[in-house]
Amino acid sequence: MPTNPRSSPPKPPVAVTRSRATGKFDLSEHDPRGTFGWDKEVAKAQLVEVMSEVAELQTRLFAEQRTALLVVIQAIDAGGKDGTIREVFASINPAGVDVNAFGVPSEAELSHDYLWRIHARTPSRGTIGVFNRSHYEDVLVVRVKQFAPEDVWRKRYRHIREFERMLGDEGTRVVKLFLNLSKDEQKARLQDRVDDPTERWKFRKGDLDDRALWDDYQAAFTDALRETSTAEAPWYVVPADRKWVRNLLVAEILRHHLRLIDPHYPEPEEGVEGIVVR
Ligand code: AMP
Ligand code: MG
């Protein structure tokens, strides 16, 4: 019978280590144009390779039905959240992926605490959940636009740490990605959205109001990452100006955490081995 030897925990690749936010986190030390010394063509080939291992690990995760992986993606407008989901997750089995986007809360959502709608959409065991925006909006846009006073949003860092810790304890590994875009690159991407008729639907005039608040958003991201990057639910700062760097790093982070989960195919039913199907 095939055995499933559990090996010692895998070491993260260098880029994964370097992009991890720690308690002393300083956003200005992370270059949105960083490449980790990668070559574009090599990186594209490597993405395919890394994702084929991710696909295999995902199959095991799905078969095992024991743990879930929740990938939270946050970024400013045009930061590449949709592109990351489309380009990185494209090669894995959609049956095991649960993508949720969080927009302006509805009236029903606003009549509950801010984690209510979030918890309802965390992934079930065996699946990979992807959050396109998340509960972090409640310490980002809510703070910057002053939708709630400081004594309300400041307590949320603690709620979020404790919520994510509970998820981890109960079988959902949480991994958080901040797509770090430069102000110049955001300008170029927003302009492209305006100029390209097939992209124009993504542009809202309000995006310019948010762009004018760039420094406030950077400060809010810095605090959010500093306050909530924990051992059990780490943040990664993903250089996002170059899509090919972003994609490969996200794939490597996914692979690293799936390797840590180390899912195994379940044991077959007793007596199945050797059965001849007639
Ligand atoms: P998009 O991701 O472009 O579809 O935009 C979604 C919008 O919803 C963004 O402008 C977010 O800032 C906003 N949003 C998401 N969550 C919240 C929240 N909790 N409170 C207020 N606005 C939010
Ligand atoms: Mg938008």
Side-chain angles (χ1 to χ4, degrees):
M1 187 180 287
T3 54
N4 290 322
R6 286 186 190 259
S7 42
S8 53
K11 277 220 182 82
V14 172
V16 172
T17 308
R18 278 176 54 195
S19 60
R20 185 162 174 160
T22 65
K24 287 186 255 69
F25 172 70
D26 181 352
L27 186 50
S28 65
E29 285 171 8
H30 292 259
D31 180 7
R33 300 192 61 74
T35 64
F36 306 105
W38 291 338
D39 170 85
K40 185 172 179 177
E41 291 316 308
V42 176
K44 283 185 168 174
Q46 215 166 338
L47 175 65
V48 176
E49 212 175 287
V50 173
M51 286 310 293
S52 84
E53 186 179 337
V54 167
E56 158 73 14
L57 288 162
Q58 184 212 15
T59 305
R60 292 176 189 228
L61 187 84
F62 193 77
E64 193 183 49
Q65 298 279 312
R66 188 173 59 93
T67 27
L69 176 65
L70 171 60
V71 182
V72 172
I73 306 179
Q74 285 289 161
I76 49 145
D77 290 314
K81 299 182 293 294
D82 300 296
T84 301
I85 295 167
R86 194 175 56 243
E87 291 164 28
V88 177
F89 290 84
S91 61
I92 63 178
N93 184 355
V97 185
D98 182 12
V99 181
N100 282 280
F102 294 93
V104 178
S106 68
E107 219 176 296
E109 288 167 348
L110 282 174
S111 69
H112 293 80
D113 68 85
Y114 67 100
L115 290 173
W116 179 74
R117 66 172 182 163
I118 304 294
H119 200 180
R121 298 208 236 165
T122 53
S124 56
R125 295 180 206 286
T127 64
I128 299 177
V130 183
F131 281 180
N132 180 342
R133 302 187 191 267
S134 65
H135 43 305
Y136 284 94
E137 293 294 326
D138 294 281
V139 290
L140 294 167
V141 64
V142 167
R143 164 178 167 170
V144 171
K145 297 279 194 66
Q146 300 178 15
F147 295 152
E150 177 165 357
D151 66 326
V152 170
W153 59 254
R154 193 162 282 286
K155 290 190 188 115
R156 292 179 175 172
Y157 298 129
R158 177 172 53 81
H159 306 156
I160 290 173
R161 283 194 300 269
E162 291 174 358
F163 170 62
E164 292 177 352
R165 182 164 193 190
M166 181 280 291
L167 291 178
D169 288 347
E170 294 288 327
T172 299
R173 179 176 284 261
V174 182
V175 173
K176 301 169 295 194
L177 310 174
F178 170 58
L179 308 182
N180 188 23
L181 200 74
S182 70
K183 198 173 180 186
D184 286 347
E185 183 64 20
Q186 190 199 37
K187 179 180 183 201
R189 290 188 189 180
L190 288 176
Q191 191 65 60
D192 284 348
R193 287 185 178 182
V194 172
D195 296 344
D196 180 346
T198 69
E199 296 256 313
R200 210 166 283 152
W201 62 275
K202 290 190 204 169
F203 186 87
R204 288 193 199 89
K205 286 190 212 155
D207 293 348
L208 299 179
D209 303 331
D210 280 331
R211 179 169 166 78
L213 295 166
W214 179 272
D215 292 340
D216 294 344
Y217 273 105
Q218 295 296 107
F221 276 118
T222 300
D223 284 346
L225 270 65
R226 198 182 275 155
E227 294 285 340
T228 64
S229 194
T230 61
E232 53 277 351
W235 270 107
Y236 292 91
V237 183
V238 177
D241 277 17
R242 294 175 167 92
K243 294 172 183 171
W244 58 271
V245 175
R246 173 198 78 194
N247 290 350
L248 178 56
L249 180 59
V250 170
E252 289 207 339
I253 293 167
L254 278 176
R255 177 176 64 172
H256 175 63
H257 284 277
L258 285 166
R259 281 177 172 174
L260 288 173
I261 291 174
D262 192 22
H264 286 71
Y265 292 113
E267 292 295 327
E269 245 179 82
E270 191 85 35
V272 165
E273 213 183 339
I275 284 182
V276 178
V277 179
R278 297 181 199 281

